[in-house]
Structure formats: structure tokens, C-alpha cells
Amino acid sequence: MRRTARLRTALVRTAAAAGTALAVVAVALTAQGAQRQDPGPGDATATAPGISGITVTRRTGGGFEALVVHDSKKPGEPRISRYAHRPGKAPRVVPLDWRGAGEPVDLEAVDRVPGRSGEYIALASEGIGYRVRDAGDAGVEVLDLFPLPGISEGDNFEGFALAPTARPGVMVAVWADRGQDDRPATLYAARMVLNQYGEPRFGPVRTAELRAPYPALDVRHASDLTITATGELLVSSASDPGDEGPFDSAVYRAGHVGLDDAGTVRLTLAEAPRTRATFEGHKVEALACVPGTRQAAIGTDDEANGGALLTAALCG
């Protein structure tokens, strides 16, 4: 069922000691249309800076913790942060040190590595992946850098997701060039394993083109993506006419991905992708399912207006 969701983001930010943490004030998410959704406190929160990718690291009672990445390009700007979502309490965003390699430029996605506790892959828009380890208060440590396979000239990647399979050590990886207006997004999918040194190795790459059902103007057809527990592909899209907006976004069902009995990746896109929710006035760039729930964590990068993170029942 399609919903039109609006975030009322009267942003209130308080810098914590030494400027390393931000206390953020919860604002309300209202879903309008055929069905009304009434979230509790903390379901939508203002953050700074904007969010370009997210992965949920663990559930905490009624909330969750997550790693979020930022599309920073200048030295010294935050690349990755820890986010604590606590319903009924002020959430916290803590920038983390980036250790073990030079600062990446334009991180656009992040996901946890199935079966590898504390390990994640962050993706820069040029198609370079960073396998990192969460070192707690010490920040994140880069373990490996690698290029994605099958990159085409002009690709601008904004989505990356991993999913476990029934085969031990074998994952499905999906990544997406965002597309722009008349140029559709291109989705890539492949088997992925980690060798004895923890380096990613990919199988044959499948590709498919995708156009977002909404919005219609200045559209990035795939601003992020996630894979649900059943293999469904959820994709976000965004209208971005420039840093001043106005922005508009959606999350839609795009198809399914998984391994067949022979261990071959199957990427099947819907003939008519179905919009699950729209977000007027916001540029959605981050999308992840909260494990064990139907909730999706959705992050926005609203440029001069900072960012916001909300939850909505879109998974499953």
C-alpha cells in the first residue's frame, strides 16, 4: 500500500563535549494516505551531517544501533558514525575515527558482512569497497580495499547490500549505479566469498536496468538498496535538483535476488516496481532492514538542512 510520509524536521542540535557527539531531538513522522502510521517517540530524528548509507549493527530493546556513512569529500570531515536509536530518549550520533587507510571520498553505502562479527563493507561512489572492522571506541579499522567487478564508465554507485545464503561462507552481493533521469539505474549482482585472507572474491556478475516508479523529475533511480530476509530487493529513489532542493523520495519493491539450486545468482526485477512509501521534502540516501522486525531504518541527506533518520514498517 502506498503511503506519503512527511518528516517534520524542526532540527534541534546540541553539540556535546569536544564536538564528538550530537544529541538530537526526536520529531514526528506522519504517514498520510489510505493508511495512517503512528510511530512512537524517536521514530524520526534529526541528525548532522546527512546520512548516505546505513547498516543496523544490533537491536537494543525497542531500539537499535547502526553504523552510518557520510559522503564527505574534504579532509577532516566525518566519514562514518555510530548511531543509537532509543525510542523515548534522545538518540546519539558519535563520529568515529577512520583508521588504517587514507580518508575515502564520497562514501555512499555500508552493510555488515554476514558471518563475520564486527566486519562491514563501505562503498565509495567510484566503486571502491572498504572492508572495515568496528573497533569500538577506537573507531573503524580498514582491513582491505577492493574494486567492484563489472564497473562501467560513468557509473556512480549509491547502493550496496549483502545477504547470507544456505551455502556456508557464500553471500549474495548487490550494488547499483544510481542512474539519472533518462538513464536508468543498473543493478549488479554476484556471489561473494572471502578468501583465506578475508579478501572478497566475486563470481559472474548479473546486471539489470531499473527505473523508479517515483519521483518523476531530477530522479536518481537507485539512491540505496537493501535485501530483506526473504530476498526481496527494496530500493530507494530520490529527486535531487540541486543542494537547495526541493527534494522528494520513495522506497519501492524492485524484485528478488538469491541463489538457485545450482548456486547461480538469480536477479529478477519486477515488471512494474511498486512504491511502498514516499517522502516529500527529503532526499533518501540510506536504507536498511532492522533484523528480526518489519522495520526499515531510512536515512536522508538534505544538504544544507542536514539529515534525518526514521523507521517505517517496510521490510517483510
mmCIF file of all heavy atoms in Angstrom, residues 115-154:
data_model
loop_
_atom_site.group_PDB
_atom_site.id
_atom_site.type_symbol
_atom_site.label_atom_id
_atom_site.label_comp_id
_atom_site.label_asym_id
_atom_site.label_seq_id
_atom_site.Cartn_x
_atom_site.Cartn_y
_atom_site.Cartn_z
ATOM 1 N N GLY A 115 28.207 -13.461 8.765
ATOM 2 C CA GLY A 115 29.103 -14.468 9.301
ATOM 3 C C GLY A 115 30.431 -13.945 9.796
ATOM 4 O O GLY A 115 31.276 -14.737 10.246
ATOM 5 N N ARG A 116 30.662 -12.632 9.739
ATOM 6 C CA ARG A 116 31.927 -12.046 10.193
ATOM 7 C C ARG A 116 31.591 -10.966 11.225
ATOM 8 O O ARG A 116 31.317 -9.816 10.877
ATOM 9 C CB ARG A 116 32.703 -11.440 9.031
ATOM 10 C CG ARG A 116 32.911 -12.384 7.855
ATOM 11 C CD ARG A 116 34.126 -13.252 8.033
ATOM 12 N NE ARG A 116 35.356 -12.496 7.947
ATOM 13 C CZ ARG A 116 36.525 -13.054 7.638
ATOM 14 N NH1 ARG A 116 36.604 -14.357 7.383
ATOM 15 N NH2 ARG A 116 37.622 -12.317 7.575
ATOM 16 N N SER A 117 31.633 -11.339 12.470
ATOM 17 C CA SER A 117 31.235 -10.414 13.536
ATOM 18 C C SER A 117 32.092 -9.159 13.518
ATOM 19 O O SER A 117 33.327 -9.223 13.492
ATOM 20 C CB SER A 117 31.364 -11.111 14.887
ATOM 21 O OG SER A 117 31.035 -10.240 15.948
ATOM 22 N N GLY A 118 31.425 -8.011 13.528
ATOM 23 C CA GLY A 118 32.115 -6.731 13.600
ATOM 24 C C GLY A 118 32.737 -6.263 12.314
ATOM 25 O O GLY A 118 33.445 -5.246 12.307
ATOM 26 N N GLU A 119 32.494 -6.965 11.200
ATOM 27 C CA GLU A 119 33.071 -6.554 9.920
ATOM 28 C C GLU A 119 31.980 -6.011 8.989
ATOM 29 O O GLU A 119 30.848 -6.525 8.967
ATOM 30 C CB GLU A 119 33.793 -7.709 9.232
ATOM 31 C CG GLU A 119 35.079 -8.103 9.932
ATOM 32 C CD GLU A 119 35.916 -9.080 9.122
ATOM 33 O OE1 GLU A 119 35.641 -9.264 7.903
ATOM 34 O OE2 GLU A 119 36.849 -9.668 9.696
ATOM 35 N N TYR A 120 32.360 -4.995 8.208
ATOM 36 C CA TYR A 120 31.422 -4.291 7.334
ATOM 37 C C TYR A 120 32.127 -3.936 6.030
ATOM 38 O O TYR A 120 33.364 -3.879 5.972
ATOM 39 C CB TYR A 120 30.908 -3.017 8.017
ATOM 40 C CG TYR A 120 30.281 -3.299 9.356
ATOM 41 C CD1 TYR A 120 31.070 -3.348 10.508
ATOM 42 C CD2 TYR A 120 28.928 -3.563 9.470
ATOM 43 C CE1 TYR A 120 30.513 -3.652 11.735
ATOM 44 C CE2 TYR A 120 28.365 -3.865 10.696
ATOM 45 C CZ TYR A 120 29.161 -3.910 11.829
ATOM 46 O OH TYR A 120 28.604 -4.227 13.038
ATOM 47 N N ILE A 121 31.343 -3.707 4.994
ATOM 48 C CA ILE A 121 31.881 -3.188 3.743
ATOM 49 C C ILE A 121 31.209 -1.855 3.462
ATOM 50 O O ILE A 121 29.971 -1.763 3.425
ATOM 51 C CB ILE A 121 31.667 -4.162 2.570
ATOM 52 C CG1 ILE A 121 32.575 -5.390 2.749
ATOM 53 C CG2 ILE A 121 31.963 -3.474 1.233
ATOM 54 C CD1 ILE A 121 32.420 -6.441 1.672
ATOM 55 N N ALA A 122 32.039 -0.817 3.320
ATOM 56 C CA ALA A 122 31.561 0.510 2.929
ATOM 57 C C ALA A 122 31.968 0.736 1.479
ATOM 58 O O ALA A 122 33.045 0.317 1.047
ATOM 59 C CB ALA A 122 32.163 1.585 3.827
ATOM 60 N N LEU A 123 31.114 1.416 0.734
ATOM 61 C CA LEU A 123 31.342 1.611 -0.697
ATOM 62 C C LEU A 123 31.393 3.088 -1.036
ATOM 63 O O LEU A 123 30.508 3.858 -0.644
ATOM 64 C CB LEU A 123 30.230 0.945 -1.518
ATOM 65 C CG LEU A 123 30.368 1.049 -3.039
ATOM 66 C CD1 LEU A 123 31.557 0.243 -3.532
ATOM 67 C CD2 LEU A 123 29.083 0.592 -3.725
ATOM 68 N N ALA A 124 32.442 3.479 -1.773
ATOM 69 C CA ALA A 124 32.543 4.835 -2.304
ATOM 70 C C ALA A 124 31.887 4.885 -3.678
ATOM 71 O O ALA A 124 31.768 3.876 -4.381
ATOM 72 C CB ALA A 124 34.004 5.264 -2.401
ATOM 73 N N SER A 125 31.486 6.073 -4.090
ATOM 74 C CA SER A 125 30.706 6.222 -5.323
ATOM 75 C C SER A 125 31.461 5.772 -6.559
ATOM 76 O O SER A 125 30.855 5.387 -7.567
ATOM 77 C CB SER A 125 30.269 7.678 -5.490
ATOM 78 O OG SER A 125 31.399 8.538 -5.569
ATOM 79 N N GLU A 126 32.798 5.771 -6.526
ATOM 80 C CA GLU A 126 33.585 5.356 -7.685
ATOM 81 C C GLU A 126 33.660 3.843 -7.825
ATOM 82 O O GLU A 126 34.215 3.335 -8.810
ATOM 83 C CB GLU A 126 34.995 5.923 -7.579
ATOM 84 C CG GLU A 126 35.771 5.407 -6.372
ATOM 85 C CD GLU A 126 37.155 6.012 -6.258
ATOM 86 O OE1 GLU A 126 37.585 6.673 -7.223
ATOM 87 O OE2 GLU A 126 37.801 5.835 -5.209
ATOM 88 N N GLY A 127 33.119 3.089 -6.856
ATOM 89 C CA GLY A 127 33.123 1.633 -6.936
ATOM 90 C C GLY A 127 34.224 0.958 -6.151
ATOM 91 O O GLY A 127 34.495 -0.226 -6.366
ATOM 92 N N ILE A 128 34.863 1.664 -5.218
ATOM 93 C CA ILE A 128 35.882 1.089 -4.349
ATOM 94 C C ILE A 128 35.238 0.684 -3.029
ATOM 95 O O ILE A 128 34.578 1.493 -2.370
ATOM 96 C CB ILE A 128 37.038 2.074 -4.092
ATOM 97 C CG1 ILE A 128 37.704 2.453 -5.409
ATOM 98 C CG2 ILE A 128 38.048 1.459 -3.130
ATOM 99 C CD1 ILE A 128 38.308 1.299 -6.164
ATOM 100 N N GLY A 129 35.434 -0.592 -2.665
ATOM 101 C CA GLY A 129 34.915 -1.094 -1.408
ATOM 102 C C GLY A 129 35.974 -1.083 -0.325
ATOM 103 O O GLY A 129 37.165 -1.296 -0.596
ATOM 104 N N TYR A 130 35.552 -0.831 0.905
ATOM 105 C CA TYR A 130 36.423 -0.830 2.073
ATOM 106 C C TYR A 130 35.871 -1.845 3.065
ATOM 107 O O TYR A 130 34.774 -1.659 3.608
ATOM 108 C CB TYR A 130 36.463 0.541 2.736
ATOM 109 C CG TYR A 130 37.053 1.640 1.884
ATOM 110 C CD1 TYR A 130 36.299 2.260 0.892
ATOM 111 C CD2 TYR A 130 38.373 2.065 2.063
ATOM 112 C CE1 TYR A 130 36.829 3.273 0.099
ATOM 113 C CE2 TYR A 130 38.920 3.073 1.281
ATOM 114 C CZ TYR A 130 38.144 3.669 0.297
ATOM 115 O OH TYR A 130 38.680 4.670 -0.477
ATOM 116 N N ARG A 131 36.614 -2.936 3.279
ATOM 117 C CA ARG A 131 36.227 -3.875 4.333
ATOM 118 C C ARG A 131 36.820 -3.359 5.636
ATOM 119 O O ARG A 131 38.037 -3.176 5.743
ATOM 120 C CB ARG A 131 36.721 -5.286 4.024
ATOM 121 C CG ARG A 131 36.243 -6.342 5.039
ATOM 122 C CD ARG A 131 36.547 -7.749 4.558
ATOM 123 N NE ARG A 131 37.971 -7.977 4.440
ATOM 124 C CZ ARG A 131 38.757 -8.463 5.401
ATOM 125 N NH1 ARG A 131 38.239 -8.780 6.591
ATOM 126 N NH2 ARG A 131 40.055 -8.634 5.203
ATOM 127 N N VAL A 132 35.957 -3.105 6.616
ATOM 128 C CA VAL A 132 36.395 -2.468 7.849
ATOM 129 C C VAL A 132 35.944 -3.293 9.044
ATOM 130 O O VAL A 132 35.007 -4.095 8.968
ATOM 131 C CB VAL A 132 35.850 -1.025 7.973
ATOM 132 C CG1 VAL A 132 36.273 -0.176 6.777
ATOM 133 C CG2 VAL A 132 34.330 -1.011 8.123
ATOM 134 N N ARG A 133 36.625 -3.077 10.155
ATOM 135 C CA ARG A 133 36.282 -3.712 11.424
ATOM 136 C C ARG A 133 35.899 -2.627 12.420
ATOM 137 O O ARG A 133 36.596 -1.615 12.551
ATOM 138 C CB ARG A 133 37.461 -4.524 11.958
ATOM 139 C CG ARG A 133 37.194 -5.221 13.304
ATOM 140 C CD ARG A 133 38.383 -6.065 13.722
ATOM 141 N NE ARG A 133 39.557 -5.235 13.989
ATOM 142 C CZ ARG A 133 39.832 -4.697 15.175
ATOM 143 N NH1 ARG A 133 38.998 -4.881 16.202
ATOM 144 N NH2 ARG A 133 40.917 -3.976 15.338
ATOM 145 N N ASP A 134 34.791 -2.848 13.108
ATOM 146 C CA ASP A 134 34.363 -1.932 14.164
ATOM 147 C C ASP A 134 35.235 -2.177 15.389
ATOM 148 O O ASP A 134 35.174 -3.244 16.013
ATOM 149 C CB ASP A 134 32.893 -2.174 14.477
ATOM 150 C CG ASP A 134 32.334 -1.193 15.502
ATOM 151 O OD1 ASP A 134 33.120 -0.418 16.093
ATOM 152 O OD2 ASP A 134 31.109 -1.198 15.722
ATOM 153 N N ALA A 135 36.059 -1.183 15.723
ATOM 154 C CA ALA A 135 36.976 -1.309 16.863
ATOM 155 C C ALA A 135 36.449 -0.598 18.099
ATOM 156 O O ALA A 135 37.226 -0.194 18.977
ATOM 157 C CB ALA A 135 38.357 -0.770 16.486
ATOM 158 N N GLY A 136 35.154 -0.403 18.188
ATOM 159 C CA GLY A 136 34.559 0.222 19.361
ATOM 160 C C GLY A 136 34.940 1.689 19.480
ATOM 161 O O GLY A 136 34.892 2.436 18.499
ATOM 162 N N ASP A 137 35.352 2.083 20.676
ATOM 163 C CA ASP A 137 35.690 3.485 20.895
ATOM 164 C C ASP A 137 36.898 3.938 20.070
ATOM 165 O O ASP A 137 37.103 5.142 19.875
ATOM 166 C CB ASP A 137 35.976 3.732 22.375
ATOM 167 C CG ASP A 137 34.725 3.585 23.235
ATOM 168 O OD1 ASP A 137 33.622 3.654 22.674
ATOM 169 O OD2 ASP A 137 34.877 3.388 24.458
ATOM 170 N N ALA A 138 37.688 2.974 19.575
ATOM 171 C CA ALA A 138 38.860 3.322 18.769
ATOM 172 C C ALA A 138 38.493 3.671 17.330
ATOM 173 O O ALA A 138 39.358 4.083 16.561
ATOM 174 C CB ALA A 138 39.871 2.176 18.784
ATOM 175 N N GLY A 139 37.232 3.496 16.959
ATOM 176 C CA GLY A 139 36.793 3.842 15.612
ATOM 177 C C GLY A 139 36.642 2.625 14.734
ATOM 178 O O GLY A 139 36.305 1.531 15.203
ATOM 179 N N VAL A 140 36.861 2.778 13.428
ATOM 180 C CA VAL A 140 36.822 1.663 12.496
ATOM 181 C C VAL A 140 38.196 1.518 11.854
ATOM 182 O O VAL A 140 38.867 2.505 11.550
ATOM 183 C CB VAL A 140 35.737 1.828 11.415
ATOM 184 C CG1 VAL A 140 34.349 1.831 12.030
ATOM 185 C CG2 VAL A 140 35.952 3.089 10.599
ATOM 186 N N GLU A 141 38.592 0.277 11.659
ATOM 187 C CA GLU A 141 39.905 -0.032 11.092
ATOM 188 C C GLU A 141 39.722 -0.637 9.708
ATOM 189 O O GLU A 141 38.974 -1.615 9.548
ATOM 190 C CB GLU A 141 40.647 -1.006 11.995
ATOM 191 C CG GLU A 141 42.011 -1.407 11.470
ATOM 192 C CD GLU A 141 42.669 -2.455 12.342
ATOM 193 O OE1 GLU A 141 42.032 -2.894 13.329
ATOM 194 O OE2 GLU A 141 43.814 -2.837 12.032
ATOM 195 N N VAL A 142 40.387 -0.085 8.701
ATOM 196 C CA VAL A 142 40.304 -0.609 7.344
ATOM 197 C C VAL A 142 41.152 -1.867 7.247
ATOM 198 O O VAL A 142 42.354 -1.853 7.555
ATOM 199 C CB VAL A 142 40.775 0.432 6.311
ATOM 200 C CG1 VAL A 142 40.754 -0.157 4.908
ATOM 201 C CG2 VAL A 142 39.887 1.676 6.383
ATOM 202 N N LEU A 143 40.532 -2.974 6.806
ATOM 203 C CA LEU A 143 41.220 -4.248 6.657
ATOM 204 C C LEU A 143 41.623 -4.525 5.217
ATOM 205 O O LEU A 143 42.598 -5.250 4.976
ATOM 206 C CB LEU A 143 40.318 -5.392 7.151
ATOM 207 C CG LEU A 143 39.802 -5.279 8.588
ATOM 208 C CD1 LEU A 143 38.838 -6.414 8.877
ATOM 209 C CD2 LEU A 143 40.944 -5.272 9.578
ATOM 210 N N ASP A 144 40.863 -3.956 4.276
ATOM 211 C CA ASP A 144 41.099 -4.289 2.868
ATOM 212 C C ASP A 144 40.394 -3.267 1.989
ATOM 213 O O ASP A 144 39.359 -2.701 2.372
ATOM 214 C CB ASP A 144 40.554 -5.692 2.574
ATOM 215 C CG ASP A 144 40.923 -6.196 1.193
ATOM 216 O OD1 ASP A 144 42.025 -5.864 0.712
ATOM 217 O OD2 ASP A 144 40.114 -6.926 0.593
ATOM 218 N N LEU A 145 40.968 -3.008 0.815
ATOM 219 C CA LEU A 145 40.339 -2.197 -0.222
ATOM 220 C C LEU A 145 40.223 -3.040 -1.476
ATOM 221 O O LEU A 145 41.123 -3.844 -1.776
ATOM 222 C CB LEU A 145 41.159 -0.944 -0.544
ATOM 223 C CG LEU A 145 41.148 0.247 0.419
ATOM 224 C CD1 LEU A 145 42.004 -0.059 1.637
ATOM 225 C CD2 LEU A 145 41.662 1.489 -0.288
ATOM 226 N N PHE A 146 39.152 -2.857 -2.246
ATOM 227 C CA PHE A 146 38.983 -3.642 -3.464
ATOM 228 C C PHE A 146 38.031 -2.928 -4.414
ATOM 229 O O PHE A 146 37.135 -2.197 -3.983
ATOM 230 C CB PHE A 146 38.414 -5.036 -3.135
ATOM 231 C CG PHE A 146 37.051 -4.998 -2.483
ATOM 232 C CD1 PHE A 146 35.893 -5.082 -3.234
ATOM 233 C CD2 PHE A 146 36.936 -4.859 -1.105
ATOM 234 C CE1 PHE A 146 34.637 -5.038 -2.633
ATOM 235 C CE2 PHE A 146 35.688 -4.813 -0.490
ATOM 236 C CZ PHE A 146 34.530 -4.890 -1.264
ATOM 237 N N PRO A 147 38.206 -3.106 -5.732
ATOM 238 C CA PRO A 147 37.246 -2.557 -6.697
ATOM 239 C C PRO A 147 36.116 -3.549 -6.944
ATOM 240 O O PRO A 147 36.327 -4.769 -6.951
ATOM 241 C CB PRO A 147 38.103 -2.377 -7.956
ATOM 242 C CG PRO A 147 39.100 -3.488 -7.866
ATOM 243 C CD PRO A 147 39.390 -3.672 -6.388
ATOM 244 N N LEU A 148 34.938 -3.037 -7.120
ATOM 245 C CA LEU A 148 33.837 -3.895 -7.532
ATOM 246 C C LEU A 148 34.055 -4.378 -8.969
ATOM 247 O O LEU A 148 34.617 -3.656 -9.793
ATOM 248 C CB LEU A 148 32.510 -3.136 -7.456
ATOM 249 C CG LEU A 148 31.979 -2.829 -6.060
ATOM 250 C CD1 LEU A 148 30.747 -1.954 -6.156
ATOM 251 C CD2 LEU A 148 31.666 -4.103 -5.295
ATOM 252 N N PRO A 149 33.611 -5.593 -9.275
ATOM 253 C CA PRO A 149 33.737 -6.075 -10.655
ATOM 254 C C PRO A 149 32.663 -5.471 -11.557
ATOM 255 O O PRO A 149 31.608 -5.013 -11.083
ATOM 256 C CB PRO A 149 33.523 -7.584 -10.512
ATOM 257 C CG PRO A 149 32.627 -7.722 -9.320
ATOM 258 C CD PRO A 149 33.035 -6.609 -8.379
ATOM 259 N N GLY A 150 32.935 -5.460 -12.850
ATOM 260 C CA GLY A 150 31.924 -5.076 -13.830
ATOM 261 C C GLY A 150 31.610 -3.607 -13.889
ATOM 262 O O GLY A 150 30.554 -3.218 -14.397
ATOM 263 N N ILE A 151 32.511 -2.758 -13.370
ATOM 264 C CA ILE A 151 32.256 -1.316 -13.373
ATOM 265 C C ILE A 151 32.297 -0.790 -14.802
ATOM 266 O O ILE A 151 33.185 -1.132 -15.582
ATOM 267 C CB ILE A 151 33.282 -0.587 -12.494
ATOM 268 C CG1 ILE A 151 33.110 -0.991 -11.030
ATOM 269 C CG2 ILE A 151 33.158 0.923 -12.648
ATOM 270 C CD1 ILE A 151 34.142 -0.398 -10.116
ATOM 271 N N SER A 152 31.339 0.066 -15.147
ATOM 272 C CA SER A 152 31.282 0.697 -16.467
ATOM 273 C C SER A 152 31.616 2.180 -16.343
ATOM 274 O O SER A 152 31.412 2.795 -15.289
ATOM 275 C CB SER A 152 29.890 0.538 -17.082
ATOM 276 O OG SER A 152 29.557 -0.827 -17.262
ATOM 277 N N GLU A 153 32.116 2.745 -17.419
ATOM 278 C CA GLU A 153 32.443 4.167 -17.418
ATOM 279 C C GLU A 153 31.190 4.993 -17.134
ATOM 280 O O GLU A 153 30.124 4.756 -17.709
ATOM 281 C CB GLU A 153 33.032 4.562 -18.769
ATOM 282 C CG GLU A 153 33.510 6.006 -18.829
ATOM 283 C CD GLU A 153 34.174 6.362 -20.144
ATOM 284 O OE1 GLU A 153 34.315 5.465 -20.993
ATOM 285 O OE2 GLU A 153 34.552 7.540 -20.305
ATOM 286 N N GLY A 154 31.330 5.938 -16.248
ATOM 287 C CA GLY A 154 30.209 6.804 -15.902
ATOM 288 C C GLY A 154 29.364 6.308 -14.747
ATOM 289 O O GLY A 154 28.470 7.024 -14.282
#
